[in-house]
């Protein structure tokens, strides 16, 4: 069985996913869609000459795909997903699923009604080092303290992309869904409240938008977590990549001494190693075990992680995998970051 797939959006993520479809025997690319002639023609040439389209609607009508891969700006996701599902196609969509929880839930309902699979691009879920990170965190006892950030000192084309993204959402919403999703996997508990702070550090974005934010989330089991994200040429590259979890039994951190530039997409998923520290002490109060470094330097790069995502998407279709938990978690993480955005705008803690 070969799945005919239409790739919509030919930027960083669309390019990596298209390379995955090109490589996997179970997929056949039937078209590449982008409003930018340069990006779609470049990608088509790289992959051997696939048909290209400037209009998503025309591409759907012409190619009649079995599946659609949506890698466009977030404010298009809901409409594009609806169009794909109504065209009887399965959907892979980059995060976030939609701009509101209500829209996200309606899309999940529509996918179920149409009998179609829908996978959301939560790349860290297929990352071997992050899977190990979550596993270790779950064994540190309760409550957990989870500290994470991803600040990006962006300029040039990256800053342009960030400004486009901020026409619909802030950094803590766009990037935050990944990391609060990881927090939920680590605690396996229910989030109960969210608060946030933020700042607008540039005149280049709308007055109602902010390009720096930090959210704090509390869980029913007593665990707490914070996530910080900022975009722009003014951002600091000191401590821009913190991934740290603390529990009664010790702590685990992602360490990468060779971390690249903060706006390098490939570096965002690199880990290098995991540092594990045990809190146990002897009668004299000295630690009983040395810290451990778990080497993860042989991890997949960004393209290889996208390949793992698309292998899962293919398996979901061909083996009829139940995606109920996957979609519930996607909505849950979206609910948390949108509550953080509301908290920033109101100055109040949001009870979930």
């Amino acid at each position: 069985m070969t799945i005919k797939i239409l790739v919509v959006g030919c930027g960083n993520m669309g390019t990596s996913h298209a390379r995955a479809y090109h490589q996997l025997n179970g997929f056949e690319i039937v078209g590449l869609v982008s409003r930018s002639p340069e990006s779609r023609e470049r990608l088509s040439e790289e992959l051997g000459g696939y048909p290209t389209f400037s209009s998503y609607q025309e591409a759907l009508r012409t190619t009649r795909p079995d599946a659609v891969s949506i890698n466009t700006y977030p404010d298009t996701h809901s409409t594009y997903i609806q169009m794909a599902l109504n065209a009887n196609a399965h959907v892979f969509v980059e995060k976030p699923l939609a701009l509101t929880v209500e829209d996200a839930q309606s899309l999940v309902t529509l996918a179920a009604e149409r009998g179609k699979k829908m996978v959301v691009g939560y790349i860290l879920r297929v990352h071997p080092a992050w899977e190990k990170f979550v596993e270790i965190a779950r064994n540190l006892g309760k409550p957990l303290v989870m500290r994470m950030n991803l600040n990006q000192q962006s300029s040039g084309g990256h800053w342009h992309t960030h400004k486009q993204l901020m026409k619909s959402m802030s950094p803590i919403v766009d990037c935050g869904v990944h990391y609060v999703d990881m927090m939920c996997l680590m605690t396996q508990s229910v989030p109960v409240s969210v608060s946030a702070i933020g700042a607008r550090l540039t005149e280049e974005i709308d007055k109602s938008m902010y390009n720096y934010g930090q959210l704090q989330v509390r869980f029913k089991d007593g665990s707490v977590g914070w996530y910080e994200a900022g975009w722009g040429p003014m951002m600091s590259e000191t401590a821009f990549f913190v991934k740290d979890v603390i529990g009664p039994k010790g702590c685990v951190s992602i360490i990468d001494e060779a971390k690249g530039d903060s706006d390098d997409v490939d570096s965002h998923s690199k880990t290098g190693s995991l540092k594990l520290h045990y809190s146990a002490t002897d009668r004299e109060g000295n630690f009983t075990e040395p810290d451990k470094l778990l080497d993860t330097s042989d991890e997949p790069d960004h393209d290889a992680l996208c390949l793992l995502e698309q292998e899962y998407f293919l398996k979901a279709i061909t083996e009829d995998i139940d995606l109920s938990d996957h979609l519930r978690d996607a909505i849950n993480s979206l609910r948390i970051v949108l509550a953080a955005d509301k908290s920033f705008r109101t100055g109040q803690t949001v009870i979930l």
Side-chain angles (χ1 to χ4, degrees):
M1 178 184 181
T2 301
I3 306 297
K4 296 190 301 178
I5 190 155
L6 178 67
V7 180
V8 189
C10 299
N12 285 327
M13 298 309 299
T15 294
S16 291
H17 291 311
R19 288 170 180 161
Y21 302 129
H22 180 71
Q23 188 175 336
L24 289 168
N25 290 330
F27 285 112
E28 175 193 350
I29 297 176
V30 293
L32 302 171
V33 183
S34 175
R35 289 177 294 187
S36 164
E38 181 181 307
S39 65
R40 65 179 186 258
E41 297 306 329
R42 169 198 51 78
L43 185 55
S44 177
E45 183 178 351
E46 175 191 328
L47 300 180
Y50 289 117
T52 62
F53 300 87
S54 60
S55 165
Y56 174 44
Q57 198 165 14
E58 179 194 347
L60 267 181
R61 185 174 60 251
T62 303
T63 64
R64 301 177 64 85
D66 302 311
V68 176
S69 179
I70 298 169
N71 311 280
T72 50
Y73 286 117
D75 56 357
T76 65
H77 288 186
S78 182
T79 301
Y80 283 12
I81 292 169
Q82 288 181 57
M83 290 170 66
L85 292 173
N86 287 327
N88 209 35
H90 303 285
V91 172
F92 174 88
V93 59
E94 265 304 323
K95 56 75 189 168
L97 182 54
L99 298 186
T100 69
V101 173
E102 293 74 21
D103 275 355
Q105 187 58 64
S106 69
L107 294 170
V108 170
T109 300
L110 179 59
E113 289 173 350
R114 303 292 296 185
K116 295 299 169 183
K117 301 300 180 184
M118 184 162 64
V119 170
V120 186
Y122 279 64
I123 198 168
L124 297 182
R125 285 191 166 220
V126 299
H127 196 307
W130 274 86
E131 289 176 336
K132 188 66 177 177
F133 190 35
V134 170
E135 178 189 338
I136 293 172
R138 286 178 175 178
N139 289 296
L140 294 177
K142 291 292 187 75
L144 294 176
V145 174
M146 297 162 289
R147 310 188 303 162
M148 302 186 190
N149 76 356
L150 181 57
N151 293 307
Q152 298 181 55
Q153 189 183 90
S154 55
S155 59
H158 286 127
W159 178 225
H160 172 75
T161 297
H162 283 153
K163 286 187 287 187
Q164 292 298 115
L165 286 167
M166 285 186 286
K167 289 180 179 179
S168 55
M169 60 179 51
S170 75
I172 56 171
V173 175
D174 179 77
C175 292
V177 288
H178 283 306
Y179 299 101
V180 298
D181 182 53
M182 290 296 107
M183 292 179 191
C184 291
L185 289 178
M186 288 172 173
T187 64
Q188 298 178 290
S189 182
V190 178
V192 294
S193 70
V194 183
S195 56
I197 55 174
R200 178 175 176 263
L201 300 171
T202 175
E203 298 291 323
E204 295 183 57
I205 60 176
D206 189 85
K207 290 182 179 180
S208 65
M209 183 50 68
Y210 52 107
N211 65 310
Y212 170 82
Q214 188 207 57
L215 65 83
Q216 306 90 38
V217 55
R218 292 191 303 120
F219 290 85
K220 189 175 182 180
D221 67 357
S223 296
V224 294
W226 61 254
Y227 175 71
E228 173 193 62
W231 295 339
M234 75 294 294
M235 291 306 301
S236 169
E237 288 196 324
T238 300
F240 72 85
F241 185 91
V242 175
K243 307 291 184 292
D244 193 36
V245 181
I246 307 162
K249 297 179 182 179
C251 58
V252 61
S253 311
I254 291 179
I255 304 293
D256 189 358
E257 301 299 337
K259 181 59 64 180
D261 293 337
S262 60
D263 67 346
D264 174 18
V265 173
D266 201 43
S267 75
H268 296 172
S269 54
K270 286 182 179 177
T271 59
S273 62
L274 299 177
K275 183 178 181 180
L276 177 57
H277 167 74
Y278 300 97
S279 63
T281 56
D282 59 22
R283 290 182 179 179
E284 286 73 41
N286 300 311
F287 291 121
T288 58
E289 292 188 66
D291 292 352
K292 289 183 180 179
L293 278 180
L294 307 177
D295 182 36
T296 59
S297 58
D298 61 346
E299 65 191 358
D301 63 14
H302 187 262
D303 275 3
L305 289 170
C306 288
L307 180 66
L308 289 173
E309 281 192 287
Q310 299 312 327
E311 286 176 344
Y312 178 72
F313 183 38
L314 180 62
K315 188 175 182 180
I317 296 169
T318 57
E319 298 184 16
D320 193 24
I321 294 175
D322 183 355
L323 297 174
S324 301
D325 288 349
H326 170 82
L327 293 170
R328 180 201 64 215
D329 290 349
I331 291 175
N332 188 44
S333 58
L334 182 63
R335 178 180 290 110
I336 294 170
V337 295
L338 290 177
D341 185 70
K342 180 179 179 181
S343 174
F344 163 76
R345 296 182 186 284
T346 62
Q348 303 293 319
T349 296
V350 177
I351 306 301
L352 296 170

